[in-house]
């Protein structure tokens, strides 16, 4: 059975698989730097109310499985995690600046996909299940009742 998270006015189960990479895929996430990135990202998640379900830091990327509450946009969490870790890593590990010129530690953008307990077919069945539901004839597949 799925354990749903609860907010003051919401019940949710929003889980995301997120991945971002180091600039130029340089394999720099090793040793103390890797541990520091993990700590910074964990603190950013805790501060924003994001629960880390799983995650592994490889040498050139950060794949995370996280539960993000509805008030927090996925892009906002990634922006805070990448921005804060980039700034702190460049301050604490000045040798990184030799390779990562331009004050950029992470590559631009990120990968995101959702994970859930139901399939697209189950959602469509739920939406189209009521007896008075009609087959949509518009381009957006939204029926007006």
């Amino acid at each position: 059975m799925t354990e749903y998270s609860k907010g003051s006015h919401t019940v949710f189960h929003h889980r995301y698989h997120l991945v971002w990479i180091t600039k130029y895929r340089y394999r720099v996430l090793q040793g103390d730097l890797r541990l520091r990135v993990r700590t910074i990202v964990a603190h950013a998640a805790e501060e924003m109310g994001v629960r880390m379900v799983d995650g592994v830091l490889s040498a050139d990327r950060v794949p995370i499985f996280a539960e993000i509450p509805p008030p927090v946009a996925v892009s906002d969490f990634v922006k805070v995690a990448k921005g804060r870790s980039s700034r702190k890593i460049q301050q604490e590990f000045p040798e990184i600046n030799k390779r990562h010129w331009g004050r950029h530690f992470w590559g631009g953008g990120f990968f995101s996909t959702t994970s859930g307990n139901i399939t697209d077919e189950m959602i469509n069945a739920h939406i189209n299940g009521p007896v008075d539901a009609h087959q949509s004839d518009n381009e957006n597949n939204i029926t007006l009742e």
Side-chain angles (χ1 to χ4, degrees):
M1 181 77 185
T2 301
E3 290 187 29
Y4 290 93
S5 298
K6 296 179 182 179
S8 58
H9 299 284
T10 57
V11 177
F12 62 94
H13 185 74
H14 297 170
R15 292 179 169 209
Y16 298 89
H17 175 212
L18 306 169
V19 181
W20 63 85
I21 61 171
T22 58
K23 189 77 170 178
Y24 308 118
R25 295 293 297 248
Y26 287 151
R27 302 178 63 79
V28 295
L29 297 176
Q30 299 173 7
D32 290 339
L33 191 141
R34 176 189 279 186
L35 295 173
R36 185 65 177 129
V37 167
R38 181 179 68 179
T39 302
I40 295 167
V41 171
H43 283 278
E46 184 179 332
E47 182 180 298
M48 297 182 79
V50 173
R51 185 172 75 85
M52 304 302 262
V53 178
D54 198 3
V56 177
L57 285 165
S58 355
D60 63 351
R61 63 192 178 95
V62 178
I64 293 173
F65 187 38
E67 183 174 83
I68 302 176
V72 177
V74 176
S75 60
D76 288 344
F77 166 66
V78 174
K79 179 174 63 173
V80 168
K82 286 174 64 176
R84 189 172 296 167
S85 60
S86 177
R87 182 174 32 83
K88 289 186 177 185
I89 289 301
Q90 291 181 53
Q91 288 172 351
E92 297 172 16
F93 298 87
E95 65 274 10
I96 290 297
N97 293 332
K98 293 176 186 170
R99 193 163 204 198
H100 289 274
W101 48 271
R103 313 283 295 157
H104 297 285
F105 182 73
W106 301 110
F110 63 97
F111 168 81
S112 171
T113 187
T114 58
S115 168
N117 295 331
I118 60 173
T119 63
D120 292 348
E121 291 78 22
M122 293 169 76
I123 293 170
N124 288 329
H126 176 77
I127 291 171
N128 296 318
V131 177
D132 59 347
H134 317 306
Q135 190 64 12
S136 174
D137 59 354
N138 67 19
E139 61 193 41
N140 295 324
N141 292 327
I142 299 173
T143 303
L144 302 175
E145 294 183 321

